[in-house]
Amino acid sequence: MNQGAGPYPRGMVPGELPGGQRWIEVPVPYDIGPVPEADLARFRLRLWGEVERPAELSWEELLSLPQAVVRADFHCVTGWSVPDVLWEGVPTGAVAELVRPRPGVAWVMAHGREGYTTNLPYAQFLDPMSLLAHRMNGVPLPPEHGYPLRLVVPSLFAWKSAKYLVGLEFLSELRRGYWEARGYHDVGDPWRGERYRR
Ligand SMILES: Nc1nc2c(c(=O)[nH]1)N[C@H]1C(S)=C(S)[C@@H](COP(=O)(O)O)O[C@H]1N2
Ligand SMILES: [Mo]
């Protein structure tokens, strides 16, 4: 099962199902509110917090950053997993290079346009599979899956993949996002069964 090397099993072998999960074909949209309107001309991604160079990126500036393609299984804490989702966008490492997080950064808070937030460890934010996706399965992100931009962190449960992404806040101390404040796990590694806090 967990075939990752070292003390922290990554479990990123495609087609392997974490415990307690079952396969379904397409992701079920989950939202805390109505799908927010989006206007690319007015789009801004704010990058702030414990960073050397805070930034605010327009849509064009975002697209001018390095681009990557990731194929990964998508695991939802409610028990479904979708195999082989194709995501295209900016690798999170390119974002970090741009803003230069300070040495003490340990967490990232992702902000969605409708007010959704989720915290994740900086290490998982920086996972080579993590990206700021603007395309899903070969087309622009469908509205209900986060148009125009979403954070995608395949190494963690799907609630960490914030849709309608408008902000990334770099933190040295733990602060909890929407579901984490309601008892969900601060890390959320599906391969470790990190669903809720004890
Ligand atoms: N902005 C925003 N992002 C969000 C959510 C949300 O309500 N708002 N729900 C999360 C939850 S709980 C899950 S399981 C996944 C579901 O992704 P999907 O809607 O693309 O299937 O999105 C996550 N990202
Ligand atoms: Mo969820």
Side-chain angles (χ1 to χ4, degrees):
M1 287 252 90
N2 291 336
Q3 297 182 347
Y8 200 78
R10 299 302 325 137
M12 295 297 292
V13 181
E16 273 200 78
L17 198 56
Q21 297 292 111
R22 66 185 181 284
W23 293 115
I24 64 169
E25 278 185 20
V26 294
V28 181
Y30 286 136
D31 285 285
I32 59 164
V35 172
E37 297 288 319
D39 175 358
L40 293 190
R42 290 201 208 157
F43 175 89
R44 293 291 182 277
L45 177 68
R46 284 185 62 210
L47 306 164
W48 81 101
E50 294 294 317
V51 296
E52 302 287 344
R53 301 195 303 185
E56 208 175 287
L57 303 180
S58 68
W59 189 250
E60 288 70 29
E61 289 169 328
L62 188 80
L63 294 189
S64 72
L65 293 176
Q67 304 288 317
V69 182
V70 163
R71 186 183 289 280
D73 303 339
F74 193 55
H75 306 292
C76 176
V77 71
T78 59
W80 53 258
S81 294
V82 173
D84 284 340
V85 185
L86 189 70
W87 305 101
E88 295 168 67
V90 179
T92 50
V95 174
E97 245 176 70
L98 191 72
V99 300
R100 298 195 196 142
R102 298 209 172 96
V105 167
W107 297 93
V108 176
M109 185 75 84
H111 296 258
R113 185 169 162 73
E114 89 283 39
Y116 184 77
T117 50
T118 184
N119 60 280
L120 64 153
Y122 184 53
Q124 274 82 357
F125 173 80
L126 278 188
D127 185 284
M129 303 278 278
S130 300
L131 76 172
L132 276 50
H134 51 81
R135 293 173 69 82
M136 178 185 184
N137 294 328
V139 296
L141 274 181
E144 70 277 16
H145 291 301
Y147 182 86
L149 187 72
R150 97 181 281 174
L151 176 65
V152 172
V153 183
S155 60
L156 300 178
F157 276 121
W159 90 82
K160 303 288 183 179
S161 292
K163 304 190 284 186
Y164 327 113
L165 187 72
V166 291
L168 291 170
E169 188 182 359
F170 295 82
L171 303 168
S172 49
E173 305 283 331
L174 171 66
R175 220 166 71 212
R176 294 201 161 117
Y178 184 89
W179 287 117
E180 292 83 4
R182 289 160 176 79
Y184 282 50
H185 202 280
D186 289 317
V187 181
D189 185 333
W191 301 94
R192 297 179 145 197
E194 292 172 343
R195 296 168 191 270
Y196 311 103
R197 292 199 305 276
R198 279 162 233 277

